[in-house]
Amino acid sequence: ELNGSQALPVGSSPHSYEVSFSAFGLLGDNRRETKKAKATAKIPVIKKISIFPNSDICETASMSTNLTKQTHFDAIIIGAGACGLMCAVQAGYLGKRVLVLEKNEQPGAKILISGGGRCNYTNLYASAQQFISQNEHFCKSAFAQWSVENTISFFETYGITGQEKTLGQLFPVSNKAKDVVQVFTNLCDDLGQEIWCGAEVTDVTKV
């Protein structure tokens, strides 16, 4: 059983969910970074969370749970892709402890193949005007809170220097996508976030 108290801001009202996923032997590995699991048994996971609007997450008290207790999390994130990994890192900065469930055998699988294995992790000329949405203000708000400059600064802080290619595409000077993934997995490890690989979510039910 996995227990939690609150989740990352992806909605506007409190809810509780039951999460089920297929995996085996998840707690056998002591490494926080990546816990590999054979998808051989269905394990029901009871996850009680409250979902808050975006403005509330920063106002909640920092997590005080013991990081060695592997069955208590503030949130469960489905997918260890770029979005899920960054979400886990940002939650860690806020003092929240999360579990990331990834069906592949390693985190960041799509990052590793992006840009021909080099990972073009941002574009120097990206702006809200280049996105189509039913709510045109969403992208403006997103870029106002996290800009291209913030992305560049984030990766530079952790050792990734960019080089511009075609039309503003920014790649690591190493030309290795694995370096980008390693930034995330190292940070998750440092922040006490769990990544369990080989764990495919089979059901999420509102209870």
Side-chain angles (χ1 to χ4, degrees):
E1 180 177 308
L2 300 177
N3 298 309
S5 57
Q6 63 190 25
L8 299 179
V10 293
S12 58
S13 59
H15 296 292
S16 294
Y17 293 90
E18 178 179 292
V19 181
S20 300
F21 65 95
S22 296
F24 179 75
L26 293 175
L27 300 181
D29 190 337
N30 290 325
R31 294 182 64 205
R32 286 197 181 100
E33 180 180 322
T34 55
K35 293 184 180 294
K36 294 185 178 181
K38 299 287 186 180
T40 57
K42 183 175 180 180
I43 303 175
V45 179
I46 305 303
K47 179 72 178 79
K48 300 294 184 180
I49 58 178
S50 297
I51 299 178
F52 298 92
N54 292 358
S55 59
D56 290 350
I57 187 71
C58 293
E59 298 175 4
T60 59
S62 295
M63 174 199 65
S64 59
T65 187
N66 184 351
L67 290 181
T68 63
K69 185 178 180 182
Q70 298 186 10
T71 57
H72 185 93
F73 301 93
D74 292 289
I76 291 177
I77 297 173
I78 301 173
C83 224
L85 290 172
M86 177 62 91
C87 194
V89 168
Q90 295 296 329
Y93 289 156
L94 294 175
K96 307 301 178 183
R97 184 162 184 260
V98 304
L99 167 65
V100 185
L101 298 176
E102 171 56 50
K103 67 178 181 179
N104 292 305
E105 292 303 309
Q106 60 182 332
K110 290 184 179 179
I111 297 176
L112 293 172
I113 63 173
S114 66
R118 296 176 298 159
C119 183
N120 49 314
Y121 59 91
T122 192
N123 189 294
L124 295 174
Y125 311 120
S127 67
Q129 287 71 34
Q130 295 166 319
F131 292 84
I132 298 175
S133 172
Q134 289 183 329
N135 179 3
E136 63 183 57
H137 298 293
F138 172 79
C139 287
K140 294 178 182 178
S141 175
F143 274 101
Q145 296 180 64
W146 187 272
S147 65
V148 172
E149 289 73 22
N150 291 137
T151 299
I152 294 172
S153 177
F154 172 83
F155 283 108
E156 285 183 347
T157 298
Y158 300 105
I160 301 291
T161 302
Q163 58 179 336
E164 183 181 358
K165 296 292 186 179
T166 307
L167 300 176
Q169 294 177 330
L170 211 61
F171 293 82
V173 292
S174 66
N175 285 319
K176 295 179 180 178
K178 67 178 183 179
D179 292 344
V180 174
V181 175
Q182 190 170 16
V183 167
F184 288 122
T185 54
N186 286 348
L187 282 170
C188 284
D189 194 33
D190 292 343
L191 294 165
Q193 310 296 49
E194 300 277 353
I195 303 174
W196 290 357
C197 292
E200 183 173 3
V201 174
T202 59
D203 187 56
V204 178
T205 307
K206 183 177 178 180
V207 295

